[in-house]
Amino acid sequence: MNVLLVEDEARVADFILRGLRAEGWTVTHAPDAASALELKLREDFDVIVLDLMMPGLPGQDFCRKLRARRDYTPILILSALDALDERVEGLRIGADDYMVKPFEFEELIARVEALARRSSHFVEPVSETILHAGAIAFDLDTLEVTAGGQLLELTAKEREILKLFLSKPGRVFSRERILNSVWGASEDPLTNIVDVYVGRLRRKLGSQGHKLQTVRGAGYRLTSE
């Protein structure tokens, strides 16, 4: 997925950039709406995450200008303006969704994914095989994951981690191996992001979550028993 983030606060932008890139998405940052418009002329994006209160061209005018060009790229407004009239105006000027700061990052990811499904530019990768580990199955063609017969809703990174485990059930994968395989060598090796995501994945596996085991001092493994 290719995301354009339009945010003038450096701290907030850095936080969002790290989080979205951790999902495996390509994210381009524009510090103001004027430069975002220039970027949009040169490149297609699946979703635009847009702040409203910025120096120079306001986010509201960015929406209007983009829609006036018949550009219907999904826009998620992410703003500290939380009054009802502000939210209603944001939707009426062309935004597809509106979130208020401060926000929960899990919700931001879910909303961006929902908007991306409406974008004609977003295509899921395909394959021809199904990976299994007991009652856990991952259809690489449809990206559907089931555990104990239940269909799971996983993020892109959670799917990549599960795919790694399912590639060799029973094998112990170190945190460093998971980090390099899923996030790449550029990620901070001291981060606890692997532990966080494995914990999230284990909870989502529900009754099959006990099969995702911690091997003290070594890493994690997924058993089929």
Side-chain angles (χ1 to χ4, degrees):
M1 190 190 308
N2 193 11
V3 179
L4 174 60
L5 172 64
V6 190
E7 170 64 62
D8 66 312
E9 292 187 42
R11 181 180 59 82
V12 175
D14 182 65
F15 172 72
I16 297 174
L17 283 170
R18 286 175 175 270
L20 296 185
R21 285 171 178 167
E23 293 296 313
W25 302 342
T26 300
V27 188
T28 301
H29 174 226
D32 57 73
S35 59
L37 279 174
E38 293 178 4
L39 283 168
K40 191 64 185 68
L41 287 173
R42 301 194 303 266
E43 184 176 354
D44 286 329
F45 296 92
D46 299 300
V47 177
I48 299 171
V49 179
L50 173 69
D51 186 21
L52 292 181
M53 297 187 296
M54 291 181 290
L57 185 71
Q60 294 91 333
D61 288 346
F62 173 89
C63 272
R64 294 187 183 98
K65 288 179 178 292
L66 204 63
R67 297 308 186 226
R69 296 173 177 173
R70 298 186 182 278
D71 186 323
Y72 299 109
T73 303
I75 296 175
L76 169 62
I77 289 177
L78 188 62
S79 175
L81 299 174
D82 60 353
L84 176 60
D85 59 342
E86 297 283 358
R87 286 178 279 147
V88 170
E89 181 193 8
L91 296 173
R92 284 179 172 168
I93 61 177
D96 299 271
D97 200 357
Y98 196 114
M99 280 188 69
V100 176
K101 299 175 183 177
F103 58 92
E104 294 293 334
F105 205 84
E106 289 289 338
E107 182 181 1
L108 175 63
I109 291 173
R111 291 188 184 226
V112 171
E113 287 178 331
L115 290 178
R117 287 194 290 268
R118 306 176 194 175
S119 172
S120 60
H121 307 296
F122 183 56
V123 179
E124 292 280 7
V126 297
S127 185
E128 298 178 351
T129 59
I130 298 178
L131 303 179
H132 289 279
I136 302 172
F138 188 166
D139 188 328
L140 298 177
D141 187 40
T142 64
L143 297 183
E144 289 187 347
V145 178
T146 57
Q150 299 294 315
L151 185 64
L152 307 183
E153 289 290 336
L154 302 182
T155 67
K157 276 292 182 283
E158 290 165 351
R159 287 196 301 266
E160 286 300 309
I161 294 172
L162 183 59
K163 180 181 176 182
L164 180 64
F165 285 129
L166 287 170
S167 67
K168 294 184 179 178
R171 175 175 175 174
V172 176
F173 290 93
S174 68
R175 289 174 175 82
E176 291 76 17
R177 169 68 186 281
I178 298 170
L179 190 69
N180 287 335
S181 297
V182 178
W183 280 270
S186 61
E187 186 66 37
D188 182 359
L190 299 180
T191 181
N192 71 338
I193 196 169
V194 170
D195 306 292
V196 171
Y197 270 77
V198 168
R200 281 170 41 176
L201 180 58
R202 184 182 285 132
R203 289 191 295 273
K204 289 188 177 183
L205 287 171
S207 63
Q208 303 298 310
H210 66 282
K211 294 180 179 178
L212 185 48
Q213 301 173 348
T214 301
V215 181
R216 188 178 297 276
Y220 299 98
R221 68 181 171 197
L222 181 67
T223 67
S224 58
E225 300 177 356

